[in-house]
């Protein structure tokens, strides 16, 4: 039985679909299982529901983890970012070991030098270290920026034909979360990819001005990328975007890293899933209505 922590999340939900298409039974976990059941119910024709067990689990409640992990052999772990992330993921790893899970696939983030100013990346490195020390076989997936993040720019594109950032014209690796899920599905079902670290990207890098050009062509109206100073970007994210300061910091820090360290694609996705990663053009085309 494969346990999915983060089954309502962007990657976890796509993984659940892929594994059930492979005919693999999964236990999908959420703090709000009834919402997950309702969501799965809407996919009744698409998914073989007999392969999916839904259970309640809160990573801040060890007893809920013991029940949810019982009988599991492998565990997928994608936890939303929060200042409690190290504590929560460390508890998941500890209870997984106690319950006899023998392989954990963890969603991490690109590894930077420990002195790099990306706090969330340092959290992930600390959790990777906990996994290493646990002695459980583990596979680390380190994806770059999700294409799905671009959907957060849709509101200002719709309202004002522009979007904002602070990464100038730096080239950025984007990956579709569904490709991350496809990689995770391979890692969980084929031994050859387990026990390794895989850095995941799409097949091309794009700058924000290039994304604006793509949107301009797709929407048939001019879309502009407005570059802000990191300080202004951070203030706007907090004051206009209502982001908590730690998350605003994260967005600005990650964009500063794209400027400081030129990004380039890796071949990991194609090697593991046997096809090219989804392209940004295909993603924007598929989601064009969000930006109209
Ligand atoms: N966005 C990016 O560009 C990017 C790039 C690289 C790496 N990452 C990493 O990707 C990870 C997020 O992946 P994602 O986007 O697929 O996740 P997500 O959509 O944010 O969903 C995360 C899941 O975490 C679960 N969760 C949160 N708190 C929990 C708790 N206390 N107990 C149990 N479950 C809990 C939620 O489940 P319920 O709410 O249903 O309980 C949800 O399903 C982060 O660690 C992030 O650092 C993101």
């Amino acid at each position: 039985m494969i346990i999915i922590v983060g089954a309502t999340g962007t990657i976890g939900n796509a993984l659940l679909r892929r594994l059930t298409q492979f005919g693999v039974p999964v236990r999908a976990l959420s703090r709000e299982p009834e919402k997950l059941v309702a969501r799965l119910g809407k996919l009744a024709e698409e998914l073989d529901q007999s392969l999916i067990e839904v259970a309640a689990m809160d990573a801040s409640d060890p007893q809920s983890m013991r029940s949810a992990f019982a009988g599991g052999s492998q565990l997928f772990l994608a936890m939303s970012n929060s200042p409690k992330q190290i504590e929560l993921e460390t508890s998941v790893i500890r209870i997984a070991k106690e319950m006899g899970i023998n392989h954990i696939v963890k969603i991490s983030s690109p590894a930077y030098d420990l002195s790099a100013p990306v706090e969330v990346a340092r959290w992930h490195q600390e959790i990777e270290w906990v996994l290493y020390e646990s002695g459980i076989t583990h596979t680390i997936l380190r994806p770059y920026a999700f294409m799905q993040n671009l959907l957060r720019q849709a509101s200002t594109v719709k309202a004002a034909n522009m979007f904002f950032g602070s990464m100038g014209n730096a080239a950025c690796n984007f990956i579709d979360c569904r490709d991350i899920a496809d990689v995770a599905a391979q890692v969980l079902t084929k031994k050859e990819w387990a026990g390794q670290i895989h850095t995941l990207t799409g097949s091309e890098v794009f700058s924000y001005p290039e994304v604006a050009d793509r949107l301009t062509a797709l929407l048939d109206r001019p879309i502009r990328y407005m570059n802000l100073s990191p300080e202004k970007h951070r203030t706007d994210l907090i004051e206009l975007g209502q982001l908590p300061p730690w998350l605003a910091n994260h967005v600005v820090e990650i964009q500063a890293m794209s400027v400081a360290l030129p990004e380039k694609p890796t071949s990991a996705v194609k090697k593991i899933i046997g096809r090219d990663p989804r392209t940004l053009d295909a993603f924007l085309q598929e989601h064009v209505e969000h930006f109209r």
Side-chain angles (χ1 to χ4, degrees):
M1 171 72 76
I2 295 177
I3 313 284
I4 303 182
V5 175
T8 58
T10 322
I11 304 169
N13 199 258
L15 174 65
L16 182 151
R17 289 166 184 242
R18 185 58 85 220
L19 286 175
T20 51
Q21 280 163 1
F22 286 174
V24 175
V26 299
R27 187 177 299 145
L29 308 185
S30 170
R31 285 166 299 175
E32 298 179 293
E34 60 295 333
K35 282 195 187 160
L36 181 53
V37 168
R39 194 163 150 188
L40 294 173
K42 292 187 189 141
L43 301 170
E45 286 178 15
E46 222 179 291
L47 291 179
D48 181 348
Q49 310 269 340
S50 69
L51 293 170
I52 308 171
E53 221 182 90
V54 173
M57 189 283 277
D58 186 331
S60 59
D61 172 1
Q63 202 45 49
S64 76
M65 285 192 275
R66 287 190 185 95
S67 315
F69 299 172
S73 54
Q74 303 189 76
L75 182 143
F76 171 80
L77 173 57
M79 182 77 73
S80 43
N81 290 139
S82 84
K84 287 193 144 188
Q85 191 158 359
I86 296 178
E87 183 186 323
L88 295 175
E89 292 200 32
T90 297
S91 297
V92 169
I93 294 163
R94 184 170 52 83
I95 306 285
K97 180 165 182 168
E98 183 187 316
M99 297 306 293
I101 300 283
N102 57 41
H103 179 207
I104 294 180
V105 178
K106 168 177 163 51
I107 297 297
S108 185
S109 71
Y112 303 109
D113 186 290
L114 271 181
S115 62
V118 183
E119 189 176 22
V120 171
R122 290 199 300 273
W123 297 345
H124 277 302
Q125 284 175 45
E126 212 166 301
I127 300 160
E128 287 187 15
W129 183 248
V130 171
L131 252 182
Y132 174 76
E133 288 202 308
S134 74
I136 301 180
T137 301
H138 56 279
T139 308
I140 310 276
L141 303 183
R142 294 179 176 162
Y144 272 81
F146 300 172
M147 290 180 189
Q148 280 76 2
N149 296 350
L150 292 169
L151 299 176
R152 296 187 200 135
Q153 312 282 10
S155 58
T156 58
V157 169
K158 273 205 284 209
N161 294 324
M162 57 179 77
F163 63 97
F164 303 87
S166 51
M167 64 177 188
N169 57 7
C172 182
N173 276 319
F174 285 103
I175 180 163
D176 190 314
C177 283
R178 292 169 294 184
D179 285 337
I180 306 172
D182 285 346
V183 166
Q186 292 297 324
V187 168
L188 286 159
T189 54
K190 296 202 180 110
K191 286 206 170 87
E192 65 184 302
W193 307 115
Q196 301 170 37
I197 296 175
H198 304 290
T199 299
L200 307 177
T201 71
S203 49
E204 298 165 277
V205 287
F206 286 93
S207 66
Y208 270 1
E210 287 167 332
V211 172
D213 290 346
R214 297 292 209 277
L215 286 171
T216 297
L218 267 177
L219 297 167
D220 204 20
R221 63 176 203 268
I223 306 299
R224 281 191 302 155
Y225 165 59
M226 302 292 290
N227 196 57
L228 309 173
S229 70
E231 297 72 30
K232 168 82 173 134
H233 190 198
R234 180 180 183 280
T235 309
D236 283 0
L237 288 169
I238 294 170
E239 290 178 3
L240 305 175
Q242 309 278 299
L243 261 55
W246 69 266
L247 185 52
N249 284 344
H250 177 54
V251 174
V252 172
E253 285 172 356
I254 213 82
Q255 297 204 8
M257 286 314 288
S258 299
V259 175
L261 296 179
E263 295 180 8
K264 59 177 193 313
T266 70
S267 55
V269 170
K270 183 165 188 181
K271 195 176 63 185
I272 296 170
I273 66 179
R275 62 159 174 78
D276 288 318
R278 293 169 171 87
T279 65
L280 184 68
D281 280 335
F283 179 85
L284 292 175
Q285 179 81 60
E286 188 180 345
H287 295 86
V288 67
E289 289 312 319
H290 291 260
F291 298 94
R292 256 201 225 291

